[in-house]
């Protein structure tokens, strides 16, 4: 993959199918794409094969496939997670992906909301309520197990902490990745989750570039006392939010990072834009930000 590659993240194409997604990326000039496992499953469930996907891609690369969630699972849930991971890694590898995204939990923000308010929640609660050191130890154990499995598929994993979880940002996440001690375990710099969690450009500029696999450029509304659910706080267009996008891009660039960059959006308005026109806009804006 070329230096400072520009990847079309799946969120930028709304509800487009895989074929339209790839064609829009190619038409706009993207170097690679970052699809989700759901998009690939729809494609395969329709009778298409990994070979068909690779034929559609042509010379275009797959920067990563998203995602494996609730990676701190324990007990019988850990066993289920590893089985899920194996299927996902096999799928990602079959289409030529170089990496898979992993995210901590509980992914369902309602679990965090109920925990904060001290009310029952009928669902997965993650490690909420456990001592911090125990949470860290369990997370490191799971990161190592997942990275070791991914290595069998020649895949790199990148960790994205979710801002409503017990490990809400890279401030808490990077030490876990470093202590896990696996060469194929990296992080993604996601602007939304880190902004909500109080990270600033100065922190980003101090990250070791060798641990960064990619960047999710995205915006956010200002945080408040509510649990930062994506439906509300991520409903912000490219520059229509509180994240100082240009400053953060410059901060990451100052580390010497030259991996892939993508734009991730949860904007309802952007989701309804013309796919081909919007992806051209995203490509142009990312290119300007990266080359500035």
């Amino acid at each position: 993959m070329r230096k400072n590659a520009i990847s079309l993240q799946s969120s930028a194409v709304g509800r487009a199918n895989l074929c339209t997604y790839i064609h829009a990326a190619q038409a706009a000039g993207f170097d690679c794409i970052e699809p989700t496992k759901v998009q690939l499953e729809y494609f395969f469930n329709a009778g298409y094969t990994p070979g068909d996907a690779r034929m559609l891609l042509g010379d275009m690369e797959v920067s990563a496939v998203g995602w494996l969630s609730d990676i701190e699972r324990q007990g019988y849930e850990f066993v289920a997670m590893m089985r899920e991971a194996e299927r996902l890694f096999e799928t990602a590898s079959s289409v030529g992906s170089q990496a898979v995204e992993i995210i901590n939990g509980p992914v369902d923000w309602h679990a965090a909301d109920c925990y904060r308010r001290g009310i029952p929640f009928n669902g997965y609660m993650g490690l909420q309520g456990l001592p911090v050191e125990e949470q860290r130890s369990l997370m490191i154990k799971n990161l190592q197990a997942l990275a070791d499995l991914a290595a069998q598929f020649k895949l790199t994993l990148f960790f994205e902490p979710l801002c409503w979880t017990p490990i809400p940002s890279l401030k808490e996440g990077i030490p876990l990745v470093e202590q896990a001690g696996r060469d194929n375990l990296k992080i993604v710099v996601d602007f939304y989750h880190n902004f909500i969690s109080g990270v600033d450009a100065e922190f980003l500029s101090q990250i070791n570039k060798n641990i960064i696999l990619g960047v999710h450029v995205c915006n956010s509304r200002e945080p408040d006392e509510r649990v930062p659910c994506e439906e509300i706080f991520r409903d912000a267009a490219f520059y229509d939010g509180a994240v100082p996008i240009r400053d953060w891009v410059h901060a990451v660039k100052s580390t010497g990072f030259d991996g892939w960059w993508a734009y991730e959006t949860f904007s309802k308005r952007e989701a309804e834009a013309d796919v081909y026109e919007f992806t051209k806009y995203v490509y142009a804006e990312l290119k300007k930000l990266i080359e500035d």
Side-chain angles (χ1 to χ4, degrees), residues 1-2 4-13 21 25 29-35 60-65 158 213-217 259-264 279 282-283 286-287 290:
M1 187 175 296
R2 76 172 184 86
N4 289 306
I6 303 179
S7 184
L8 182 59
Q9 215 269 348
S10 60
S11 62
V13 296
Y21 177 12
F30 283 87
D31 302 296
C32 42
I33 62 170
E34 186 187 344
M60 178 164 284
E61 296 183 85
V62 179
S63 58
V65 171
F158 63 97
L213 185 70
V215 178
H216 285 165
V217 176
W260 54 261
W261 302 75
Y263 173 63
E264 186 175 25
T279 52
V282 168
Y283 178 82
L286 285 175
K287 190 173 178 64
I290 296 164

Side-chain angles (χ1 to χ4, degrees), residues 133 202 221:
E133 284 307 311
E202 182 179 358
R221 301 194 182 282

Side-chain angles (χ1 to χ4, degrees), residues 121-191:
F121 177 73
N122 185 26
Y124 178 73
M125 293 293 285
L127 303 180
Q128 295 179 119
L130 293 180
V132 172
E133 284 307 311
E134 184 176 356
Q135 291 187 38
R136 290 168 56 88
S137 176
L138 294 173
M139 275 290 295
I140 291 168
K141 172 183 68 70
N142 281 21
L143 287 170
Q144 291 171 332
L146 288 168
D148 290 344
L149 179 60
Q152 298 178 35
F153 294 87
K154 296 181 171 57
L155 289 168
T156 297
L157 301 182
F158 63 97
F159 178 39
E160 178 176 337
L162 302 188
C163 59
W164 56 84
T165 69
I167 301 165
S169 79
L170 292 176
K171 282 185 178 179
E172 298 81 13
I174 288 176
L176 302 181
V177 170
E178 291 175 335
Q179 290 175 49
R182 297 296 189 268
D183 291 339
N184 67 328
L185 182 60
K186 309 288 184 181
I187 56 105
V188 64
V189 179
D190 181 276
F191 286 11

